[in-house]
């Protein structure tokens, strides 16, 4: 794939904590109780200074905070971490994905100052005042609006990412007009791939949301307008016809790794290094009593072996873990060790992630 000195981008999940309870997020069970396998791990500024040395940061093209479980606005040291990266590389691109439901105006203004023109916040806001909370459960609309206005008002570059569901489909055009009035640089209509089950590897038409007490809330359904649907989901039937099933597709498909092209690495809130958030995302699936029955653990083994807080970036990068994952792509099938998550996310004939943005 690539070597330590070739790394150009870092995907940093700074925390596992989040104030929201989005029903299609692995942090919780359909928006209900929090995933029992998580520990609310979080990286401090001291951790990041230990992991990322100034000479390493100086060579990067970008660092972004997104992840699988947490929202960077909830972490204690997010501003300080971004500031540390900016001080050691004034020209690199910094960005953050967030639900926007926390922090005051001063915090957002400071973030805008740190980013300058070489950075962007991607605000994940899926509707307006009467609909955003139906997916972004527990996120308060007045706080969202204040966050966006404060960041843009301080000169920050912003993008509005809008996941389209049936319940907010009628507001897409209105939201886009609001985004233009507020000064967003881009309004991204996201044609969600979340109606593809990464547990059963099949499409679904609805998803029942729950609250923290386990009671049913919104029933999420796919958008009606074909222009707003994820085209990859329409390919599943054809793939199953061609290969027999999605499982057989995973066995046979050629893998074209996205992060290998970008020379990108992912660091979790525990300080674990994996190639990407998708491989990391298989570590703690809430529907398994024992998360280690997931295939990715066959490659991780003892997770302390990929802990960059303990061993350092270069040592973990060169311990053979990533190379073993790459080697798996050439194995005959997933039963013999071909990594299924790689086949699913980077297989050449099915890409629900990429289709979100078309």
């Amino acid at each position: 794939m690539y070597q330590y000195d070739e790394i150009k981008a870092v995907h940093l999940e700074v925390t596992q904590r989040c104030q929201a309870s989005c029903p299609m997020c692995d942090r919780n069970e359909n928006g209900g109780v929090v995933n029992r396998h998580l520990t609310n791990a979080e990286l401090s500024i001291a951790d990041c200074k230990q992991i990322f040395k100034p000479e390493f940061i100086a060579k990067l093209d970008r660092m972004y905070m997104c992840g699988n479980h947490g929202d960077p606005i909830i972490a204690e040291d997010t501003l300080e971490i971004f500031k540390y990266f900016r001080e050691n590389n004034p020209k690199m691109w910094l960005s953050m994905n967030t639900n926007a439901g926390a922090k005051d105006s001063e915090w957002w203004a400071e973030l805008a100052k740190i980013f300058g023109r070489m950075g962007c916040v991607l605000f994940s806001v899926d509707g307006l005042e009467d609909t955003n909370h139906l997916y972004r459960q527990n996120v308060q609309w007045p706080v969202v609006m204040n966050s966006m206005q404060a960041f843009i008002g301080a000169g920050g570059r912003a993008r509005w990412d809008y996941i389209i569901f049936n319940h907010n489909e009628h507001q897409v055009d209105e939201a886009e007009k609001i985004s233009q009035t507020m000064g967003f640089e881009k309004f991204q209509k996201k044609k969600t791939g979340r109606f593809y089950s990464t547990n059963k590897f099949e499409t679904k038409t609805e998803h029942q949301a729950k609250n923290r007490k386990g009671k049913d809330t919104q029933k999420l359904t796919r958008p009606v307008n074909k222009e707003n649907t994820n085209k990859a989901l329409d390919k599943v039937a054809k793939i199953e016809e061609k290969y027999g099933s999605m499982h057989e597709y995973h066995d046979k498909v050629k893998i074209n790794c996205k992060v290998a092209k970008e020379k990108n690495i992912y660091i979790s809130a525990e300080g674990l290094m994996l190639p990407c958030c998708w491989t990391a995302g298989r570590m703690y699936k809430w529907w398994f009593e024992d998360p280690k029955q997931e295939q990715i653990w066959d490659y991780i083994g003892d997770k302390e072996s990929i802990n960059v807080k303990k061993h350092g970036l270069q040592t973990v990068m060169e311990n053979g873990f990533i190379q073993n994952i790459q080697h798996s792509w050439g194995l005959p099938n997933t039963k013999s060790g071909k990594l299924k998550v790689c086949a699913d996310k980077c297989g050449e004939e099915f890409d629900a992630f990429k289709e979100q943005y078309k």
Side-chain angles (χ1 to χ4, degrees), residues 254-259 278 341-348 350:
K254 182 179 178 182
I255 294 169
N256 193 357
C257 179
K258 294 179 177 68
V259 298
W278 293 305
V341 63
C342 297
D344 190 57
K345 297 301 182 182
C346 293
E348 290 189 337
F350 177 79

Side-chain angles (χ1 to χ4, degrees), residues 125 127 160-164 168 171-172 175 187-190:
V125 180
W160 185 328
D161 279 6
Y162 189 113
I163 300 175
I164 306 174
N168 66 12
Q171 295 175 323
V172 172
F187 182 85
Q188 179 66 59
K189 302 173 186 178
K190 289 186 72 174

Side-chain angles (χ1 to χ4, degrees), residues 204-241:
K204 54 186 177 180
T205 58
E206 60 184 37
H207 188 100
Q208 180 62 59
K210 296 182 180 296
N211 63 20
R212 291 298 190 203
K213 296 180 179 179
K215 294 184 178 180
D216 289 352
T217 53
Q218 178 73 14
K219 182 171 285 186
L220 304 169
T221 56
R222 295 167 67 171
V224 175
N225 189 332
K226 278 289 184 182
E227 292 182 0
N228 296 329
T229 61
N230 189 301
K231 299 301 184 289
L233 304 188
D234 297 332
K235 296 178 181 178
V236 171
K238 292 181 180 179
I239 290 174
E240 290 176 335
E241 182 180 349

Side-chain angles (χ1 to χ4, degrees), residues 135-150:
Y135 182 71
R136 303 283 167 181
Q137 295 186 136
N138 299 331
V139 174
Q140 304 300 313
W141 184 255
V143 181
V144 171
M145 287 299 291
N146 182 72
S147 299
M148 298 193 298
Q149 290 168 343

Side-chain angles (χ1 to χ4, degrees), residues 45-70:
I45 180 62
D47 291 328
C48 289
K49 287 183 176 181
Q50 177 186 344
I51 296 167
F52 306 107
K53 303 305 180 186
E55 57 272 20
F56 173 81
I57 295 174
K59 296 179 180 179
L60 294 177
D61 291 333
R62 68 182 180 122
M63 185 275 274
Y64 59 104
M65 293 187 187
C66 182
N68 295 316
H69 304 117

Side-chain angles (χ1 to χ4, degrees), residues 261-301:
K261 294 178 183 177
E262 300 174 356
K263 294 183 172 52
N264 192 348
I265 58 168
Y266 165 88
I267 307 295
S268 79
E270 295 178 279
L272 308 180
M273 194 199 81
L274 292 98
C276 62
C277 63
W278 293 305
T279 48
R282 303 306 300 187
M283 290 180 65
Y284 300 124
K285 292 300 187 185
W286 60 261
W287 51 78
F288 290 128
E289 186 66 32
D290 178 6
K292 290 189 176 181
Q293 68 187 88
E294 261 286 346
Q295 189 191 22
I296 187 63
W297 285 97
D298 295 341
Y299 288 88
I300 294 172

Side-chain angles (χ1 to χ4, degrees), residues 166-181:
N166 177 267
H167 67 260
N168 66 12
E169 188 172 18
H170 64 291
Q171 295 175 323
V172 172
D173 292 341
E174 183 182 356
E176 184 169 14
K177 289 177 182 177
I178 292 172
S179 76
Q180 293 167 350
T181 301

